Amino acid sequence: MTGLIAQARLVTLEGGEGVGKTTVLNSLRDALQSSGMEVVCTREPGGTPLAEQIRNLLLDTHHEVPAFETELLLMFAARAQHVRETILPALQRGAWVLSDRFTDSSYAYQGGGRGLDAAFIAELELRVVGIQPGLTLLLDLGVLQGRDRTRGRDLAGHGPDRIERERDEFFERVRAAYLSRAAAEPQRFRVIDATPPADVVAAQAVAYLRAHMDSVQ
Ligand code: Z5A
């Protein structure tokens, strides 16, 4: 018993760097809209003007390196605002919400990657967030393949942000933490192999979404 309230219409996309979340999110949005649903697409950290400013602080490389605890608390500060200003109002009017990352990212990056205590993260989740997704699609890809996919974008002028500059071992721990969470909550997570071409990955994600929609309507 987690004390969290499951929100069937909240669907989250998770995974490491460059796994293709943004690409898949567009296909999920199209599938929901073609079924006549209102869809709100959002992301973390971010999703409100204030939370987007916190995102900029988190990813900026120009200030001193934040303490791991500072990073965690800023993620949850942004999430507190995002849940109250964007997610809950949308769910309350019957919309579906597709979020590119949510609380599982904090368990994977700040818990798995940084080594912060999962019990502390769970306490924040309970007190600050209070809800969990009805469906979480975890796109799983090798760390080096993810890096290859983002390299072109980095070379095109967007240098890597502060977290993207972490070493491969950090991202290996992130990946392991995600897979461990998925194994612990098989009813909520669907793990998708993100190595095939983007249209194949998106089709698998849409199939899982449709099955979930059938189960909640
Ligand atoms: N973070 C955290 O630490 N704690 C938290 O609680 C939260 C977040 C919420 C910002 O997130 C950072 O915040 C993130 C985690 C941390 N840091 N990292 N790393 P973000 O979501 O903005 O950053 P991101 O995950 O790095 O986004 P991304 O690199 O844009 O990944 P993506 O959205 O999953 O990938 P994409 O843009 O859809 O695709 C990447 C490229 O690959 C692109 O050129 C595509 O055309 C290509 N692509 C996509 N799919 C395929 C396939 N199937 N084959 C080949 N190529 C493909």
Short mmCIF file of all heavy atoms in Angstrom, two decimals, residues 167-193:
data_model
loop_
_atom_site.label_atom_id
_atom_site.label_comp_id
_atom_site.label_asym_id
_atom_site.label_seq_id
_atom_site.Cartn_x
_atom_site.Cartn_y
_atom_site.Cartn_z
N ARG A 167 28.83 10.78 -16.72
CA ARG A 167 29.57 9.68 -17.34
C ARG A 167 28.63 8.50 -17.62
O ARG A 167 27.53 8.41 -17.08
CB ARG A 167 30.65 9.21 -16.37
CG ARG A 167 31.66 10.29 -16.04
CD ARG A 167 32.34 10.01 -14.72
NE ARG A 167 33.15 8.80 -14.80
CZ ARG A 167 34.43 8.79 -15.15
NH1 ARG A 167 35.04 9.91 -15.44
NH2 ARG A 167 35.09 7.66 -15.21
N ASP A 168 29.11 7.59 -18.47
CA ASP A 168 28.30 6.43 -18.86
C ASP A 168 27.88 5.60 -17.65
O ASP A 168 26.78 5.05 -17.62
CB ASP A 168 29.07 5.55 -19.84
CG ASP A 168 29.24 6.21 -21.20
OD1 ASP A 168 28.53 7.21 -21.46
OD2 ASP A 168 30.08 5.76 -21.98
N GLU A 169 28.76 5.49 -16.63
CA GLU A 169 28.41 4.66 -15.46
C GLU A 169 27.17 5.21 -14.76
O GLU A 169 26.35 4.45 -14.23
CB GLU A 169 29.56 4.62 -14.44
CG GLU A 169 30.87 4.07 -14.96
CD GLU A 169 31.70 5.10 -15.72
OE1 GLU A 169 32.16 6.05 -15.09
OE2 GLU A 169 31.88 4.94 -16.94
N PHE A 170 27.05 6.54 -14.73
CA PHE A 170 25.86 7.16 -14.14
C PHE A 170 24.61 6.67 -14.90
O PHE A 170 23.62 6.24 -14.29
CB PHE A 170 26.00 8.68 -14.23
CG PHE A 170 24.77 9.46 -13.84
CD1 PHE A 170 24.52 9.79 -12.51
CD2 PHE A 170 23.85 9.87 -14.80
CE1 PHE A 170 23.39 10.50 -12.15
CE2 PHE A 170 22.72 10.58 -14.45
CZ PHE A 170 22.49 10.90 -13.12
N PHE A 171 24.68 6.71 -16.22
CA PHE A 171 23.50 6.32 -17.01
C PHE A 171 23.23 4.82 -16.95
O PHE A 171 22.08 4.39 -17.09
CB PHE A 171 23.65 6.82 -18.46
CG PHE A 171 23.54 8.32 -18.55
CD1 PHE A 171 24.66 9.10 -18.75
CD2 PHE A 171 22.32 8.94 -18.38
CE1 PHE A 171 24.57 10.48 -18.80
CE2 PHE A 171 22.22 10.33 -18.42
CZ PHE A 171 23.34 11.10 -18.63
N GLU A 172 24.28 4.03 -16.71
CA GLU A 172 24.06 2.58 -16.50
C GLU A 172 23.28 2.37 -15.20
O GLU A 172 22.38 1.52 -15.14
CB GLU A 172 25.40 1.82 -16.43
CG GLU A 172 26.20 1.81 -17.72
CD GLU A 172 25.59 0.95 -18.84
OE1 GLU A 172 24.52 0.37 -18.63
OE2 GLU A 172 26.20 0.91 -19.93
N ARG A 173 23.59 3.15 -14.17
CA ARG A 173 22.85 3.01 -12.90
C ARG A 173 21.41 3.48 -13.07
O ARG A 173 20.48 2.90 -12.51
CB ARG A 173 23.53 3.81 -11.79
CG ARG A 173 24.89 3.28 -11.37
CD ARG A 173 25.34 3.85 -10.03
NE ARG A 173 25.51 5.30 -10.02
CZ ARG A 173 26.60 5.93 -10.44
NH1 ARG A 173 27.63 5.26 -10.91
NH2 ARG A 173 26.68 7.26 -10.38
N VAL A 174 21.23 4.55 -13.86
CA VAL A 174 19.87 5.04 -14.14
C VAL A 174 19.06 3.94 -14.83
O VAL A 174 17.92 3.64 -14.44
CB VAL A 174 19.93 6.31 -15.03
CG1 VAL A 174 18.55 6.67 -15.56
CG2 VAL A 174 20.54 7.47 -14.25
N ARG A 175 19.67 3.32 -15.82
CA ARG A 175 18.95 2.28 -16.58
C ARG A 175 18.58 1.11 -15.66
O ARG A 175 17.45 0.60 -15.70
CB ARG A 175 19.83 1.80 -17.74
CG ARG A 175 19.13 0.80 -18.62
CD ARG A 175 20.05 0.26 -19.71
NE ARG A 175 19.33 -0.59 -20.63
CZ ARG A 175 19.92 -1.42 -21.47
NH1 ARG A 175 21.24 -1.48 -21.53
NH2 ARG A 175 19.20 -2.18 -22.27
N ALA A 176 19.53 0.70 -14.82
CA ALA A 176 19.27 -0.43 -13.91
C ALA A 176 18.14 -0.08 -12.94
O ALA A 176 17.29 -0.92 -12.62
CB ALA A 176 20.55 -0.78 -13.15
N ALA A 177 18.13 1.17 -12.46
CA ALA A 177 17.08 1.57 -11.51
C ALA A 177 15.70 1.55 -12.19
O ALA A 177 14.70 1.11 -11.59
CB ALA A 177 17.38 2.97 -10.97
N TYR A 178 15.65 2.01 -13.42
CA TYR A 178 14.37 1.95 -14.16
C TYR A 178 13.88 0.51 -14.30
O TYR A 178 12.70 0.21 -14.06
CB TYR A 178 14.55 2.52 -15.56
CG TYR A 178 14.28 4.00 -15.72
CD1 TYR A 178 15.19 4.82 -16.38
CD2 TYR A 178 13.08 4.58 -15.26
CE1 TYR A 178 14.93 6.17 -16.57
CE2 TYR A 178 12.83 5.92 -15.45
CZ TYR A 178 13.76 6.72 -16.10
OH TYR A 178 13.50 8.05 -16.28
N LEU A 179 14.78 -0.37 -14.72
CA LEU A 179 14.37 -1.77 -14.96
C LEU A 179 13.94 -2.43 -13.67
O LEU A 179 13.00 -3.22 -13.64
CB LEU A 179 15.51 -2.54 -15.64
CG LEU A 179 15.76 -2.10 -17.09
CD1 LEU A 179 17.04 -2.74 -17.64
CD2 LEU A 179 14.57 -2.44 -17.99
N SER A 180 14.58 -2.04 -12.57
CA SER A 180 14.21 -2.60 -11.28
C SER A 180 12.81 -2.10 -10.86
O SER A 180 11.99 -2.87 -10.34
CB SER A 180 15.31 -2.24 -10.30
OG SER A 180 14.84 -2.18 -9.02
N ARG A 181 12.53 -0.83 -11.10
CA ARG A 181 11.18 -0.31 -10.78
C ARG A 181 10.12 -1.00 -11.64
O ARG A 181 9.03 -1.31 -11.17
CB ARG A 181 11.12 1.21 -10.98
CG ARG A 181 11.81 1.96 -9.87
CD ARG A 181 11.62 3.45 -9.97
NE ARG A 181 10.24 3.90 -9.72
CZ ARG A 181 9.65 3.90 -8.54
NH1 ARG A 181 10.27 3.44 -7.48
NH2 ARG A 181 8.42 4.38 -8.42
N ALA A 182 10.44 -1.19 -12.91
CA ALA A 182 9.47 -1.83 -13.81
C ALA A 182 9.19 -3.26 -13.35
O ALA A 182 8.03 -3.71 -13.37
CB ALA A 182 10.00 -1.82 -15.24
N ALA A 183 10.23 -3.96 -12.91
CA ALA A 183 10.04 -5.34 -12.45
C ALA A 183 9.20 -5.38 -11.18
O ALA A 183 8.42 -6.30 -10.95
CB ALA A 183 11.40 -6.00 -12.22
N ALA A 184 9.33 -4.33 -10.35
CA ALA A 184 8.60 -4.30 -9.07
C ALA A 184 7.13 -3.91 -9.25
O ALA A 184 6.31 -4.19 -8.37
CB ALA A 184 9.28 -3.32 -8.12
N GLU A 185 6.80 -3.24 -10.36
CA GLU A 185 5.41 -2.79 -10.58
C GLU A 185 4.94 -3.18 -11.98
O GLU A 185 4.65 -2.32 -12.82
CB GLU A 185 5.31 -1.27 -10.43
CG GLU A 185 5.39 -0.77 -9.02
CD GLU A 185 5.08 0.73 -8.97
OE1 GLU A 185 3.93 1.13 -9.21
OE2 GLU A 185 6.01 1.50 -8.73
N PRO A 186 4.84 -4.49 -12.24
CA PRO A 186 4.53 -4.92 -13.61
C PRO A 186 3.13 -4.50 -14.08
O PRO A 186 2.87 -4.41 -15.28
CB PRO A 186 4.66 -6.45 -13.54
CG PRO A 186 4.52 -6.78 -12.09
CD PRO A 186 5.03 -5.61 -11.32
N GLN A 187 2.22 -4.23 -13.13
CA GLN A 187 0.87 -3.83 -13.54
C GLN A 187 0.84 -2.42 -14.12
O GLN A 187 0.00 -2.09 -14.94
CB GLN A 187 -0.14 -3.99 -12.39
CG GLN A 187 -0.01 -3.04 -11.22
CD GLN A 187 1.23 -3.22 -10.34
OE1 GLN A 187 2.05 -4.10 -10.54
NE2 GLN A 187 1.39 -2.34 -9.36
N ARG A 188 1.77 -1.56 -13.68
CA ARG A 188 1.80 -0.18 -14.18
C ARG A 188 2.77 0.00 -15.34
O ARG A 188 2.50 0.78 -16.25
CB ARG A 188 2.20 0.77 -13.03
CG ARG A 188 2.40 2.21 -13.49
CD ARG A 188 2.43 3.16 -12.32
NE ARG A 188 3.60 3.08 -11.47
CZ ARG A 188 4.74 3.76 -11.66
NH1 ARG A 188 4.84 4.57 -12.71
NH2 ARG A 188 5.75 3.65 -10.82
N PHE A 189 3.90 -0.68 -15.31
CA PHE A 189 4.94 -0.47 -16.32
C PHE A 189 4.77 -1.39 -17.52
O PHE A 189 4.41 -2.56 -17.37
CB PHE A 189 6.32 -0.78 -15.74
CG PHE A 189 6.98 0.34 -14.99
CD1 PHE A 189 6.79 0.49 -13.63
CD2 PHE A 189 7.79 1.24 -15.65
CE1 PHE A 189 7.41 1.51 -12.93
CE2 PHE A 189 8.43 2.27 -14.96
CZ PHE A 189 8.22 2.41 -13.59
N ARG A 190 5.09 -0.87 -18.70
CA ARG A 190 5.33 -1.69 -19.89
C ARG A 190 6.72 -1.30 -20.39
O ARG A 190 6.98 -0.11 -20.63
CB ARG A 190 4.29 -1.43 -20.99
CG ARG A 190 2.88 -1.81 -20.60
CD ARG A 190 2.69 -3.34 -20.52
NE ARG A 190 1.35 -3.68 -20.04
CZ ARG A 190 1.00 -3.83 -18.76
NH1 ARG A 190 1.91 -3.67 -17.80
NH2 ARG A 190 -0.23 -4.13 -18.43
N VAL A 191 7.59 -2.27 -20.51
CA VAL A 191 8.95 -2.00 -20.98
C VAL A 191 9.00 -2.24 -22.48
O VAL A 191 8.57 -3.30 -22.96
CB VAL A 191 9.98 -2.91 -20.26
CG1 VAL A 191 11.39 -2.59 -20.74
CG2 VAL A 191 9.88 -2.74 -18.75
N ILE A 192 9.48 -1.25 -23.21
CA ILE A 192 9.53 -1.33 -24.67
C ILE A 192 11.00 -1.30 -25.11
O ILE A 192 11.76 -0.40 -24.72
CB ILE A 192 8.76 -0.15 -25.30
CG1 ILE A 192 7.29 -0.21 -24.89
CG2 ILE A 192 8.92 -0.14 -26.81
CD1 ILE A 192 6.47 0.97 -25.36
N ASP A 193 11.37 -2.26 -25.94
CA ASP A 193 12.72 -2.26 -26.53
C ASP A 193 12.79 -1.09 -27.50
O ASP A 193 12.07 -1.05 -28.51
CB ASP A 193 12.94 -3.60 -27.25
CG ASP A 193 14.26 -3.64 -27.98
OD1 ASP A 193 15.08 -2.71 -27.82
OD2 ASP A 193 14.49 -4.63 -28.71
#
